[in-house]
Amino acid sequence: MTDLIRGRRESQPVDAACAAAEAAAHAAGVDIRPLDRVGELEAVRRLYERIWRTGENNPPVTADLLRAMAKAGSYVSGAFDGGELVGACFGFFSPPAREALHSHIAGVLTHVQGRNVGFALKLHQRAWAMLRGVGEICWTYDPLVRRNAYFNIAKLAADPTEYLSNFYGPMDDDINRSDDTDRVLVRWRLEAPEVGAACEGGPRLTDAGAARAAGASVALGVSATGGPVAGRADARTVLVGVPGDVEALRLSDPDCAAEWRTAVREVLGELLTEGARVRGFDRTGWYVLDRQETE
């Protein structure tokens, strides 16, 4: 059973969020609960080291910082498969007037991927936040990682709102390697109808092929050799492609991976800056954006 602290804010949307979180945890075969003991938080530190392959001298977060955040009332949770910690997520609050939570790091171990443990963690975080009167959760992700784009935009129905160039600066791990840490900021509006539907198993699906048949232009495509190819961004609806596996590409062809980073920054970043709205992400590797009409 997912461990949620009830009673802080009762309403039909909150009750539905708690039920969806509990159903997702049950389907994933995990127990999810808030963490605040030092030993548990040290386990989170070790988990993140394994996922991001940083080594113990450069962890993504330290146990003492997690301890302080938990004590201050921020969100720190873990997903357990039996007695094994297999996933964790933490976030901290935005300024009070925003009534928002910033979700900083969420990750699950490789051997439980495919069981929707990450989905269950995010639904737990959503219910936990809604119980405390929070209406929005924000986080960042690498726009080149196809599975993360699909997870955030389609499966969770979060909305990309801002492109952040080299947001974290250099990161010394085996995932980012020497690549710039460009990120897209997403906003998860917790009581939005499409978010509620997604959390109950109805993802926000988008068909890039249908969009193209209806007149969408390809602003960034994939060449026969796997590199980026610039196109047109002058249609009302625009498609922006990303590589199949950028993490593998960083190992096999770092120059090509760097070309993709620059191309996506220039094309997707400019579209978001101009006010284009991401309608969705096709899991075959396409952002589908609607541009604002100009006079």
Side-chain angles (χ1 to χ4, degrees), residues 13-256:
V14 172
D15 290 343
C18 290
E22 290 170 357
H26 178 76
V30 294
D31 293 319
I32 302 176
R33 64 174 186 265
L35 307 177
D36 60 6
R37 296 200 298 265
V38 173
E40 295 173 328
L41 301 174
E42 181 64 25
V44 172
R45 179 189 68 81
R46 293 194 300 269
L47 177 87
Y48 286 160
E49 286 175 3
R50 290 177 62 187
I51 294 171
W52 276 271
R53 303 192 295 275
T54 60
E56 63 182 15
N57 293 324
N58 187 35
V61 67
T62 58
D64 60 309
L65 178 58
L66 291 172
R67 174 74 162 159
M69 292 175 60
K71 180 62 176 175
S74 290
Y75 179 82
V76 185
S77 73
F80 293 84
D81 184 4
E84 181 187 10
L85 179 68
V86 296
C89 180
F90 77 90
F92 40 84
F93 286 103
S94 298
R98 283 278 311 281
E99 296 185 347
L101 185 78
H102 183 86
S103 183
H104 186 51
I105 299 180
V108 300
L109 292 175
T110 302
H111 72 271
V112 299
Q113 289 179 0
R115 284 173 43 184
N116 290 319
V117 175
F119 182 67
L121 274 167
K122 294 304 292 184
L123 266 60
H124 182 278
Q125 186 181 51
R126 173 177 179 253
W128 182 95
M130 289 175 68
L131 281 163
R132 289 154 179 80
V134 173
E136 178 182 281
I137 300 176
C138 303
W139 64 89
T140 64
Y141 77 96
D142 186 338
L144 291 179
V145 180
R146 188 182 289 191
R147 68 179 183 280
N148 288 350
Y150 180 82
F151 178 77
N152 293 324
I153 300 170
K155 193 150 187 172
L156 295 177
D159 296 317
T161 60
E162 188 177 358
Y163 193 97
L164 306 167
S165 297
N166 203 22
F167 184 59
Y168 295 110
M171 297 183 73
D172 184 16
D173 60 51
D174 283 348
I175 301 297
N176 293 283
R177 295 191 171 268
S178 60
D179 196 9
D180 282 353
T181 53
D182 287 23
R183 296 293 184 264
V184 164
L185 179 73
V186 298
R187 299 190 183 281
W188 203 25
R189 297 172 174 90
L190 304 184
E191 294 193 27
E194 62 270 23
V195 172
C199 291
E200 293 178 4
R204 181 171 59 185
L205 300 179
T206 305
D207 188 335
R212 190 168 184 177
S217 63
V218 177
L220 187 65
V222 186
S223 73
T225 58
V229 177
R232 299 183 302 106
D234 54 355
R236 177 70 178 84
T237 300
V238 179
L239 306 181
V240 177
V242 294
D245 187 345
V246 72
E247 291 167 328
L249 194 62
R250 287 171 184 148
L251 288 171
S252 64
D253 193 343
D255 290 339
C256 184

Side-chain angles (χ1 to χ4, degrees), residues 107 133 146 154 158 216 272 277 289:
R146 188 182 289 191
L272 288 175
R277 181 184 67 86
L289 299 96

